[in-house]
Amino acid sequence: MRDRRFDFLYEREKQPVKAYVLERFAGELARELEAWPPPFLDWVSEELRARWAAGAAERPRDDVLRFALEIARQDLLRDFEGVERRLAEGAHRLQSPAEAASLHLLVRLLTEKCLGLKEHAEGARIRREDLVAMLDDVERRLFRVTLG
């Protein structure tokens, strides 16, 4: 009698390494953002930790998190004028100084994590555009809408 415990491995489709790495990274990043505060305080200097402490105190609203993802995508694409424009246009979305602090921390966390992945996974040849698409996946995972 044949052991069928591992038959699912034969049925899986092949997936390129880059796509697999980005998919797994998106899942990990989404889990970190869901658990507040994310573990970003270990890579932020003491000076910045004190300056932006209000942002880590409580979980930001979903609107602030979406805004941070928008800004991080533009930052990864090096669209600095777009970042400035979006910050000016979206300033009304921030309801308190604590939300402004959490926005800053979130954007920094997202861009640092993405660029860290790009640097550590040299063999996968991850481009900035791939990281932007991966942030879209993170947003889909965080704000998944289920019907029924």
Side-chain angles (χ1 to χ4, degrees):
M1 179 171 231
R2 189 173 124 194
D3 186 6
R4 298 193 180 272
R5 287 183 295 173
F6 302 104
D7 283 354
F8 71 95
L9 292 174
Y10 293 107
E11 296 168 2
R12 288 187 56 111
E13 292 182 27
K14 289 184 179 181
Q15 185 178 20
V17 172
K18 180 167 64 171
Y20 176 76
V21 168
L22 290 171
E23 179 183 325
R24 291 292 303 262
F25 188 74
E28 289 297 318
L29 195 53
R31 278 190 286 285
E32 283 184 19
L33 292 174
E34 286 174 341
W36 194 259
F40 55 73
L41 296 180
D42 57 345
W43 56 266
V44 175
S45 68
E46 287 296 325
E47 176 189 343
L48 287 177
R49 197 174 306 162
R51 182 176 176 191
W52 303 108
E58 65 182 53
R59 188 179 196 291
R61 295 177 301 117
D62 289 346
D63 194 37
V64 175
L65 187 54
R66 284 181 191 259
F67 191 39
L69 286 162
E70 288 175 29
I71 300 297
R73 282 191 285 266
Q74 288 182 323
D75 193 25
L76 285 171
L77 291 173
R78 296 180 178 149
D79 181 13
F80 303 119
E81 292 174 0
V83 168
E84 293 297 323
R85 188 174 53 253
R86 290 295 297 142
L87 285 172
E89 291 171 357
H92 69 280
R93 295 166 82 171
L94 304 174
Q95 298 176 352
S96 68
E99 286 189 354
S102 63
L103 175 74
H104 176 80
L105 288 172
L106 284 167
V107 170
R108 184 150 184 183
L109 169 74
L110 292 166
T111 55
E112 293 289 328
K113 287 268 190 180
C114 289
L115 294 175
L117 173 68
K118 182 179 182 330
E119 181 180 319
H120 285 42
E122 289 178 18
R125 299 178 196 257
I126 296 173
R127 300 172 303 141
R128 286 176 176 261
E129 292 80 10
D130 298 327
L131 295 172
V132 169
M134 186 270 309
L135 286 180
D136 291 337
D137 188 27
V138 169
E139 188 169 8
R140 276 191 297 278
R141 290 169 188 254
L142 287 172
F143 302 107
R144 187 174 300 148
V145 176
T146 56
L147 302 174

